[in-house]
Amino acid sequence: MSEDRAILKVTSDLKAAVSAILQGYGDRQGPVTDASAELHRLCGCLELLLQFDQKEQKSFLGPRKDYWDFLCTALRRQRGDTEAARLVCSQDKLKTPLGKGRAFIRFCLVHGQLAEALQLCLLNPELTREWYGPRSPLLCPELREDILDSLYALNGVAFDLDLQRPDLDEAWPMFSE
């Protein structure tokens, strides 16, 4: 029962974060920047969603894999090399999968591609099941549709974010900066 509540909390928190962005920045009210508390909340919720019930994956003698590795693998299988993945991989200062995943999310927000990129990643249910456990909202068709609908609503919002931040390995940029 508490597992069901955790799953619903992850998805409802994400929807609330999207709603806050839409209320504060929708209808061309100005771009979302790193100074936005709503952006920080949205990014935290997205990261929690992408890590929720993620199976442990390790590379040989390498670090633990994270949601970046899933996104990269899934997109490569669907589309080959994408502009977002190329940009993230070209950032020498980002050393961890977590930092690269954060850079990917920021790139997708700026270019209005977050929902589409995630939808492409989820087109292969077998791959998604390899990376995520049965409790993941990404494996539940109803929750996945709800999540994608929320993320598609962000396409109408302008994001003005620095895509070359070297500090994403440590944490998301704080809105107080």
Side-chain angles (χ1 to χ4, degrees):
M1 188 69 152
S2 66
E3 287 182 3
D4 290 342
R5 278 193 298 247
I7 295 167
L8 293 176
K9 181 165 175 32
V10 167
T11 56
S12 66
D13 286 353
L14 177 64
K15 287 170 51 177
V18 168
S19 180
I21 292 273
L22 294 174
Q23 286 177 352
Y25 299 93
D27 297 326
R28 309 277 183 238
Q29 294 182 31
V32 178
T33 67
D34 282 321
S36 164
E38 295 87 356
L39 173 69
H40 190 69
R41 180 178 172 203
L42 172 68
C43 291
C45 289
L46 278 166
E47 191 164 87
L48 187 60
L49 168 73
L50 291 168
Q51 291 175 329
F52 192 89
D53 205 22
Q54 188 176 25
K55 293 179 180 176
E56 180 140 349
Q57 307 264 343
K58 290 187 178 180
S59 57
F60 185 70
L61 296 177
R64 178 187 181 275
K65 293 187 176 189
D66 211 320
Y67 65 88
W68 160 250
D69 300 288
F70 165 71
L71 296 172
C72 205
T73 301
L75 283 172
R76 217 178 272 132
R77 288 189 185 176
Q78 290 299 326
R79 274 213 173 146
D81 203 13
T82 65
E83 181 185 1
R86 277 194 308 274
L87 175 86
V88 170
C89 290
S90 74
Q91 294 187 34
D92 298 336
K93 292 185 169 128
L94 294 176
K95 303 294 183 202
T96 67
L98 192 57
K100 291 176 182 182
R102 290 171 176 161
F104 179 84
I105 288 171
R106 291 169 64 84
F107 177 93
C108 288
L109 286 170
V110 166
H111 294 283
Q113 298 173 352
L114 185 61
E116 179 186 1
L118 186 57
Q119 187 171 22
L120 282 170
C121 290
L122 299 174
L123 285 176
N124 184 337
E126 294 81 26
L127 180 66
T128 307
R129 279 192 293 276
E130 282 178 35
W131 283 83
Y132 290 94
R135 293 178 41 230
S136 172
L138 301 177
L139 290 174
C140 173
E142 296 83 18
L143 293 175
R144 184 175 56 234
E145 184 177 332
D146 210 19
I147 290 163
L148 291 171
D149 285 347
S150 292
L151 295 179
Y152 270 112
L154 292 173
N155 286 357
V157 177
F159 288 85
D160 184 14
L161 309 174
D162 179 0
L163 298 180
Q164 300 290 329
R165 289 195 69 119
D167 57 349
L168 294 173
D169 284 329
E170 287 86 44
W172 289 101
M174 294 301 293
F175 62 87
S176 60
E177 292 179 351

